[in-house]
Amino acid sequence: MAIVIRTIPEPNKTVNVVRECDVVVVGGGPGGIGAAIAAGRNGADTVLIERFGHLGGMGTGGLVTIIPCLSDFSGVMQIGGINQEWIERLEPREAVTYPPKEIWGTDDRRLISYWNDRSFFTVREGRIVYAALIDAEISKCVLNDMVNEAKVKTYLHSWGTMPIMDGNKAVGVVFESKSGRQAIMAKVVIDSTGDGDLLPFTPAKFDTDIDPKIRIANLSLCYWIDGVNFMKVDDFRRDNPRKWAELKQDLMKKGGHPGFMRSNLKGQENIVWIHPRYACSSQIDVEEITRVEFLGREKMLLSYDFFKKFIPGFEQSFIVLSCPQLGTRGARRVHGDYMV
Ligand SMILES: Cc1cc2nc3c(=O)[nH]c(=O)nc-3n(C[C@H](O)[C@H](O)[C@H](O)COP(=O)(O)OP(=O)(O)OC[C@H]3O[C@@H](n4cnc5c(N)ncnc54)[C@H](O)[C@@H]3O)c2cc1C
């Protein structure tokens, strides 16, 4: 945690208001996109502010390219709406894959084995469920189209830094970009930063402490390895189950991450996805986040070298991408009317 050496006053500044609108949404991840598109479609003059150069949040930049739990265990679709539109817009480019609808809810062992092998997200409680594996790059394009069509005015490369408060009510937001410090006034301000970045400037109560035992206590630096010959990997795993288990243990002892998933997307059959988790003391302290970025890349190399050396099928592989956006899950958690 950064130590404060001393404080200095910031010079008084006036901020240029560049827009007045009905709704401003800060954060262009799945939550923010849903909020902005819904507001725009309902006729609200809507602005979306995103710190990076693309939309999609964890679903694109975080390489969490799985949209899980879209049906219940019996196979009845639970989540549709804007999320389903996103998925359907990926279809023409074959940029999404999921178990076909007719098998959602089945407990057929052969199908479960097939889908579990591709992505365990498609199997829950011994049944096939609807979960979509998506292409991050095509998603970025599709989401641009969706916000444009909803007439949402989008500002990329813009960090929402502070809400403008009128008593207890947020009436706008200050954001920073290459254009400097600017403000947008709005009737409704939505913090969809995933980390609750605007909360500290409001009277809202929130938690930042994380029980280290739960999954959201971890940060993730996801990455992809391409050029994997899965026929060889599968043969080796099938013919050497004990050796496979020993290798996994060995890599874990060394601090690496043996678990990987297949991309399964068309033309990407040689890519594996790795979603490691790193314990951290904070998901909002810049020094801690930086530490995990460094650690994540160190461990990524460790695991990759191990795969390449010991697992047949990885000989020609290469690291094709590590996520530009560290995976956070539990930064600031607001106290709502009820807690989940
Ligand atoms: C490895 C991993 C696995 C996960 N698995 C699951 C799972 O199985 N099931 C599940 O439900 N969830 C899972 N999650 C969590 C899931 O990713 C989040 O619940 C989801 O992304 C939340 O969407 P969001 O839009 O609220 O936040 P995010 O996806 O985090 O998007 C926030 C957006 O806001 C932007 N932003 C942040 N701060 C600012 C700022 N100050 N100004 C402007 N823009 C800002 C970010 O760049 C980003 O685009 C997982 C997360 C990780 C990292």
Side-chain angles (χ1 to χ4, degrees):
M1 184 76 77
I3 298 162
V4 178
I5 305 167
R6 63 193 173 99
T7 59
I8 52 161
E10 252 193 284
N12 278 339
K13 285 190 220 167
T14 50
V15 180
N16 291 336
V17 175
V18 291
R19 214 172 168 97
E20 289 176 334
C21 62
D22 295 321
V23 178
V24 63
V25 180
V26 183
I33 290 158
I37 292 173
R41 285 182 184 172
N42 281 291
D45 179 12
T46 305
V47 173
L48 177 60
I49 295 175
E50 164 56 45
R51 67 178 160 163
F52 292 132
H54 59 262
L55 300 175
M58 286 301 129
T60 57
L63 297 183
V64 185
T65 41
I66 299 159
I67 314 184
C69 303
L70 298 173
S71 75
D72 65 16
F73 304 141
S74 71
V76 176
M77 192 159 151
Q78 278 183 313
I79 298 172
I82 290 167
N83 182 70
Q84 182 60 21
E85 275 181 52
W86 172 0
I87 291 170
E88 284 169 15
R89 283 172 184 243
L90 294 172
E91 304 244 27
R93 291 184 178 273
E94 298 182 298
V96 61
T97 180
Y98 50 83
K101 189 167 186 196
E102 21 335 331
I103 65 168
W104 299 350
T106 183
D107 58 0
D108 181 299
R109 291 175 67 163
R110 203 176 38 91
L111 288 170
I112 285 174
S113 161
Y114 175 89
W115 280 98
N116 200 32
D117 205 31
R118 264 129 203 93
S119 173
F120 59 81
F121 283 93
T122 58
V123 178
R124 284 282 184 274
E125 303 283 317
R127 288 175 184 275
I128 305 266
V129 293
Y130 178 27
L133 312 176
I134 60 167
D135 184 295
E137 292 307 317
I138 305 296
S139 288
K140 291 176 189 171
C141 304
V142 157
L143 295 171
N144 282 353
D145 288 346
M146 288 175 75
V147 293
N148 277 343
E149 287 165 22
K151 300 199 168 30
V152 172
K153 168 71 183 169
T154 302
Y155 290 78
L156 297 178
H157 299 289
S158 300
W159 280 76
T161 49
M162 200 177 71
I164 301 160
M165 300 298 292
D166 180 7
N168 274 352
K169 187 174 159 44
V171 292
V173 65
V174 174
F175 67 104
E176 309 217 13
S177 70
K178 293 276 186 192
S179 302
R181 206 164 145 93
Q182 297 175 314
I184 290 175
M185 306 305 288
K187 293 180 191 136
V188 175
V189 178
I190 299 177
D191 180 343
S192 196
T193 59
D195 297 326
D197 281 5
L198 304 184
L199 293 177
F201 305 94
T202 73
K205 292 197 172 61
F206 57 88
D207 295 324
T208 53
D209 55 323
I210 310 172
D211 176 353
K213 290 192 289 300
I214 57 174
R215 192 165 63 143
I216 62 164
N218 297 275
L219 285 166
S220 292
L221 192 121
C222 302
Y223 59 96
W224 294 355
I225 299 178
D226 196 356
V228 179
N229 181 335
F230 261 110
M231 300 254 271
K232 282 176 82 173
V233 176
D234 286 343
D235 286 351
F236 176 72
R237 187 167 56 166
R238 190 193 55 238
D239 298 342
N240 306 277
R242 183 171 296 179
K243 179 79 183 155
W244 180 264
E246 281 169 9
L247 283 171
K248 280 171 76 170
Q249 285 294 328
D250 197 17
L251 179 54
M252 265 195 296
K253 268 192 222 137
K254 290 183 160 71
H257 294 88
F260 51 77
M261 292 176 272
R262 304 169 185 220
S263 150
N264 288 308
L265 290 166
K266 198 150 191 196
Q268 300 184 15
E269 292 86 358
N270 298 330
I271 297 182
V272 297
W273 294 347
I274 300 176
H275 291 182
R277 294 182 198 154
Y278 300 104
C280 58
S281 58
S282 165
Q283 302 189 11
I284 43 176
D285 176 63
V286 68
E287 292 189 11
E288 183 64 346
I289 296 170
T290 307
R291 180 188 71 80
V292 174
E293 285 276 6
F294 273 70
L295 178 75
R297 292 211 159 68
E298 185 192 314
K299 299 291 185 191
M300 174 179 77
L301 273 189
L302 185 146
S303 298
Y304 168 64
D305 288 344
F306 188 94
F307 291 143
K308 216 171 150 143
K309 188 164 177 192
F310 295 109
I311 302 192
F314 278 82
E315 297 87 344
Q316 303 299 321
S317 68
F318 57 98
I319 298 170
V320 64
L321 184 63
S322 61
C323 66
Q325 198 166 336
L326 199 63
T328 59
R329 296 176 174 94
R332 299 182 188 88
R333 295 172 313 284
V334 71
H335 291 192
D337 289 341
Y338 60 91
M339 306 276 279
V340 285

